[in-house]
Amino acid sequence: MIKGKAKMEFGTGDIRMTGALSGGIGALCCITQEPHEIGEKVPVEDTWDTEQAEVILTFTKTESIDALIAELQDVKAMMDGSYPFENRSVRRKDLDFDAFMHIENNQIYHDFMKKGRE
């Protein structure tokens, strides 16, 4: 299940990714932080809780983690040019990755206006 919408922009080292386990559920918690070197392991000496996380990916089965890793490996291969594209897989125009955020905002506005007319 997906709840809400969020866009995470990677590439500047400002997303802190912290793994957690609670009650048999694994999680990857993502928190905006001051930029640091990408991939650098920053010690988790401070305390934090899930309320600080802007995005939390939860896993009840390890197979879901494997599926996520496999898709991320495909994205990496696409970016470095080693992905074996088929002709039908190549898009003719670029995707607008910000558009889906605007769609949700427009829907909220239209729902609000509709309720006002009822």
Side-chain angles (χ1 to χ4, degrees), residues 6-86:
K7 179 183 176 202
M8 297 173 61
E9 297 179 346
F10 290 87
T12 60
D14 64 351
I15 297 176
R16 173 178 172 176
M17 295 179 280
T18 302
L21 179 67
S22 181
I25 298 173
L28 179 64
C29 302
C30 300
I31 302 167
T32 302
Q33 66 176 11
E34 289 297 317
H36 64 279
E37 185 176 332
I38 296 172
E40 176 186 2
K41 293 286 188 182
V42 178
V44 181
E45 296 172 359
D46 58 335
T47 59
W48 66 274
D49 58 41
T50 55
E51 291 177 15
Q52 292 174 276
E54 290 130 310
V55 176
I56 300 176
L57 288 81
T58 61
F59 303 91
T60 56
K61 294 184 178 182
T62 58
E63 294 88 351
S64 298
I65 297 170
D66 293 336
L68 176 62
I69 291 169
E71 288 301 316
L72 290 172
Q73 288 172 331
D74 284 351
V75 172
K76 181 179 178 182
M78 290 175 195
M79 291 177 71
D80 70 16
S82 64
Y83 187 80
F85 281 102
E86 297 176 17

